Amino acid sequence: MKLRTYLGIAVAWGVGVFAAAGGASASDPAPKAKVSLLSSVEAVAPGKAFDLGIYFQLEPGWNIYWQNPGDSGLAPRVTWTLPDGFSVGELRYPIPKRHHSPGDIVTNILSGDPMLIAQVTPPADLKGDSLRLRANL
């Protein structure tokens, strides 16, 4: 049996997003990132692992931090809300770029359209015809 999947995401804008030198001012209230939750499958099968991707579309000059941010910053943190019996693995990050700031501050950043990926495993006895998966970022 396969279940149709409904995915939702809640995003706290600006958390873990910073402006590189010459970026927008702090008084600019416009969101600097669009974030989507994507699935590697169209339907969830009992006991079969699949990937969920947190896809960032960042404005030019804006970045998020890598899992090891370096001298400054915080990596994105995700709180998953999954149905009973589901498990989720650690986030996997793409390869970062090193960013050098005045004062010998070195950070590891992701810019452009990075995606953080986590493997999700549903229970082997999964029942029903729909489910909801959420990621609070």
Side-chain angles (χ1 to χ4, degrees), residues 9-124:
I9 188 165
V11 179
W13 293 109
V15 176
V17 179
F18 79 97
S25 70
S27 63
D28 182 358
K32 303 303 176 204
K34 179 181 175 189
V35 183
S36 304
L37 185 62
L38 306 175
S39 175
S40 65
V41 297
E42 291 184 23
V44 175
K48 296 211 177 213
F50 62 96
D51 289 332
L52 286 180
I54 300 172
Y55 177 60
F56 292 83
Q57 293 172 288
L58 303 170
E59 291 290 323
W62 288 79
N63 309 280
I64 60 172
Y65 291 99
W66 190 56
Q67 62 192 3
N68 174 357
D71 295 332
S72 177
L74 294 172
R77 293 185 200 154
V78 179
T79 302
W80 297 98
T81 304
L82 304 172
D84 289 339
F86 278 69
S87 63
V88 63
E90 295 293 320
L91 282 178
R92 299 185 314 260
Y93 289 71
I95 297 171
K97 296 177 188 169
R98 290 196 155 239
H99 179 78
H100 297 270
S101 298
D104 293 327
I105 297 173
V106 178
T107 53
N108 299 308
I109 62 170
L110 301 169
S111 57
D113 296 335
M115 186 177 324
L116 311 181
I117 299 172
Q119 187 175 67
V120 177
T121 304

